[in-house]
Structure formats: structure tokens, C-alpha cells
Amino acid sequence: MEVPEEAEEQVAAWLKEVFGDHPIPQYEVNPWTTQTLHHLSERNRVRDRDVYLVIEDLKQKAREYESEAKHLQDLLLESVNFSPANLSSTGSMYLNALVDSAVALETKDTSLASFIPAVNDLTSDLFCTTSKNEEIKLELAKLEKNLTATLVLEKRLQEALKKAELHLSTERAKVDNRLQNMDFLKAKSEEFRSGVRAAEEQLSARGMDASLSHQSLVALSEKLAELKRQTIPLKKKLESYLDLMPNPSLARVKIEEAKQELDTVEAELTKKVNMMEL
């Protein structure tokens, strides 16, 4: 994007006018900075023109007010032969107070007809301001109450957060301890497995019967428990035979058969137990 040479000249002239005898700060000269500075210079010129017009308008009004004041002073001197210079110090003080009041109330003159509406407007503004102040006080009271409740809640939340952090730290320590114990138990378990495997290998090398291995013993233990469970109904059956009164010879035969069966089971159990003890 190319910038007209005229815009660059205007920017240079505006910067020289702004900084005067001071050196112009260094800046990167490119189309974007030149366009931006040209836009600022145009806005600055428009603002200066507006300010100049406002100043000239105020000067014109000041001249008109001075002329009107001189006219009123001359009229006062002609009508009642009265001059502010002839007033006493108290009168001058009252007159200055009257003028200051008219200026403060922004009245067009110092007549009673001008002062009364101005005072009424001022009273109304005072009432509105007082009402707004009361509303602001109520709102501030509510805000203070809410702020107090918020601070209390914040304090409770901080305490709860501290407790939660302490509890979390304790639980984390417990978990770490359990993990350490778990690692220790895993290592021990692996160590025991290795020891069992090594012992089984040594026993196997020495010609140990495979039926006496750990797995075989566990299987025999389970089988022994099953046999014990099976003897329970046999014992109950034997007890039922012992309760029989008729035909003593037949009862003795049944009793002998039951005893033999029970002796067989007990012998097998004894054998299994002896094998497990070995």
C-alpha cells in the first residue's frame, strides 16, 4: 500500500509542530506508520480547530457579559446614583455573596424570581441525592453482609481444603506403604517360589517320589477331606444299625460289615496321613 508524498510531508510538518525544538523520536517509516500518523494529524487539526472555535466563542461571551455588566452598572448609577465603591465593607461582602450565590445557582440575574426556582431546583437535587445516598447505603450494607458471608464461607472452604489435603497426604502415605509392602510380598513370594522349585529339583535329583511333591500333597489333602466327608454318612448308617433290636444275628453281620468298611476307610486315611507327614 503506497502513501502519497503529500501525506508524508503533512506528517513531517505535524511532528515538527508538536515537538517544536525537541528532537522527533525515531520510528520505523513504512506505509502503515505513515498512514496512522497522518490520520492522527488530521484528527489533531480538527480538534485544534474545534478548541479554537470554543475559545473564541467564550471570549465573545465574556465581552458580551462585560458589556452587559457595564451597561447595568451605568444604569444603576444613573437611576439611583449608586456605585459599588460607595458601599461599606459589610455591604460589599453582602453584594459579593449575592453575586457568588447567583453564579453558583447559575441564575440569569440576582432577582428573587430567579433565586427561588434555583433554590427549589437545588433542594430537589439535594433530596434526590439524599435518596440516592440512602439507597447506596442500603446497597453497601447488603454488600457488606454478603462480603462477610463470603469471607466466612471462604474461611470454611480453606479449612476444609486443609483437612482434605491432610487426609490426602495421610492416605497417600498409606498407599505408598501398602505398595511397598506389596512389592516386598511379591519379592518374597517369588523368592519362595524359586526356593520351592529349587527344592523340588533337588529332591527329584535325589530320586524322590513325585507323589510327595507339594502339588501332590495338596491333591492328597483335598482327597483326604473328601474321604472324611464320605465317612460321615457311613458312620450315620452304622449308628442306625446299632439301634436295630430284632434278629441279632443279622444285625451282628451288618455291624461287622460296617466295621470292616469303616476300618478300610480309616486304614486308607491313615495311610494317606502318614504319606503326608513324610
Side-chain angles (χ1 to χ4, degrees), residues 144 146-158:
E144 289 177 357
N146 294 335
L147 179 60
T148 303
T150 303
L151 292 175
V152 172
L153 179 60
E154 182 182 4
K155 185 177 180 181
R156 292 179 180 175
L157 290 176
Q158 288 178 351

Side-chain angles (χ1 to χ4, degrees), residues 240-255:
S240 65
Y241 288 142
L242 292 174
D243 293 337
L244 295 175
M245 294 302 295
N247 198 349
S249 59
L250 181 61
R252 282 194 296 271
V253 172
K254 292 294 184 181
I255 290 172

Side-chain angles (χ1 to χ4, degrees), residues 171-184:
E171 291 298 324
R172 186 181 290 112
K174 291 181 180 179
V175 171
D176 293 339
N177 189 20
R178 290 174 182 173
L179 290 175
Q180 292 177 359
N181 293 336
M182 186 180 296
D183 294 338
F184 175 76

Side-chain angles (χ1 to χ4, degrees), residues 68-84:
E68 182 67 18
K70 187 175 183 306
H71 173 70
L72 293 175
Q73 185 176 4
D74 293 339
L75 183 62
L76 184 62
L77 289 174
E78 292 178 0
S79 59
V80 296
N81 194 20
F82 173 78
S83 174

Side-chain angles (χ1 to χ4, degrees), residues 9-23:
E9 294 177 355
Q10 290 178 358
V11 168
W14 175 66
L15 290 175
K16 184 176 181 181
E17 180 182 353
V18 170
F19 289 98
D21 297 335
H22 298 282

Side-chain angles (χ1 to χ4, degrees), residues 108-143:
K108 63 180 180 179
D109 52 35
T110 57
S111 64
L112 188 62
S114 298
F115 272 111
I116 291 177
V119 172
N120 290 336
D121 293 340
L122 187 62
T123 304
S124 178
D125 293 340
L126 178 62
F127 177 76
C128 293
T129 303
T130 304
S131 299
K132 289 182 180 180
N133 287 338
E134 293 297 329
E135 293 176 0
I136 293 173
K137 287 181 180 179
L138 293 175
E139 189 68 23
L140 286 175
K142 292 180 181 179
L143 291 176

